[in-house]
Amino acid sequence: MSDAETLKVYAERAQDYARRFSGGSAQTPHLRAFIEALPEGGHALDLGCGPGNSAAQMAAAGLQVTAFDPVPEMVALANAHSGVDARVAGFDDVIGTDLYDGIWANFSLLHAPRGDMPRHLTAIAEALRPGGRFHIGMKTGTGEKRDPIGRLYTYYTDAELTGLLADVGLTVTDRTTGREKGLDGVEADWICLAAHG
């Protein structure tokens, strides 16, 4: 993600974001399923980790956790969690083959420009070990627009997103939809997909 305004919002509101989405110690059903699908002591990448709450829960479950975020303020918060190796990096920094047992992209790739998504998903599929688990959370809809606090979003339908995953050899095995209020205070529809290679 390289949109300067989006990065600026996250840098300025890192603490607000951490408080809003801390969620205590309880794992969400999506995160619990992701952790349980990985081998004991497996290697997970939290792509767009924000303040590191999910990465911390992965580490607490015994996974080896690498976390990427393009916002230094978020990386500092993520590195405060025990067992989390967070670094300033973005979607284009997913480079390599058979590196991870699981990649968690929970409401991060929604900031990638539409034209870049096939490239990012190809890199993710290559970085997953055979049979590896991929989790993606996105807001649903069509087009691109900025939210009330300035973040740029790209919206996808279920069929469009499922098709993009199929194009890179990832098979969707579970899906959940819902509606929730975000950092901007606006209710939005979302989808979470679990897939494997």
Side-chain angles (χ1 to χ4, degrees):
M1 180 191 40
S2 58
D3 180 67
E5 189 172 346
T6 302
L7 294 173
K8 181 172 181 283
V9 170
Y10 281 119
E12 291 175 348
R13 301 192 63 174
Q15 293 289 347
D16 291 342
Y17 189 89
R19 281 190 295 272
R20 169 73 175 83
F21 297 103
S22 63
S25 59
Q27 291 177 1
T28 67
H30 302 115
L31 182 57
R32 185 167 49 254
F34 176 82
I35 291 170
E36 290 173 355
L38 271 54
E40 187 175 340
H43 191 184
L45 172 64
D46 187 346
L47 183 59
C49 67
N53 300 321
S54 295
Q57 293 186 48
M58 292 178 209
L63 297 175
Q64 176 190 346
V65 184
T66 301
F68 287 2
D69 201 281
V71 178
E73 291 82 354
M74 291 293 195
V75 170
L77 291 170
N79 272 324
H81 296 288
S82 176
V84 176
D85 174 20
R87 56 193 81 161
V88 177
F91 307 136
D92 284 318
D93 295 301
V94 179
I95 300 168
T97 304
D98 299 343
L99 300 175
Y100 306 105
D101 297 293
I103 297 177
W104 175 262
N106 197 49
F107 299 97
S108 56
L109 282 163
L110 43 65
H111 295 304
R114 185 175 300 279
D116 293 347
M117 186 64 93
R119 183 179 82 246
H120 295 322
L121 292 176
T122 296
I124 285 166
E126 289 175 357
L128 279 173
R129 292 178 178 147
R133 175 87 165 213
F134 178 52
H135 166 93
I136 183 169
M138 302 285 283
K139 292 187 178 181
T140 52
T142 57
E144 297 179 344
K145 70 175 183 179
R146 290 197 185 275
D147 72 2
I149 59 175
R151 296 174 297 175
L152 184 62
Y153 281 89
T154 303
Y155 298 89
Y156 293 87
T157 64
D158 181 344
E160 185 180 15
L161 194 56
T162 300
L164 286 169
L165 293 173
D167 288 345
V168 298
L170 295 174
T171 302
V172 173
T173 55
D174 192 31
R175 62 176 31 81
T176 309
T177 59
R179 186 172 177 83
E180 189 174 343
K181 190 178 293 187
L183 185 66
D184 60 0
V186 176
E187 293 271 344
D189 293 318
W190 56 261
I191 188 168
C192 287
L193 299 177
H196 65 81

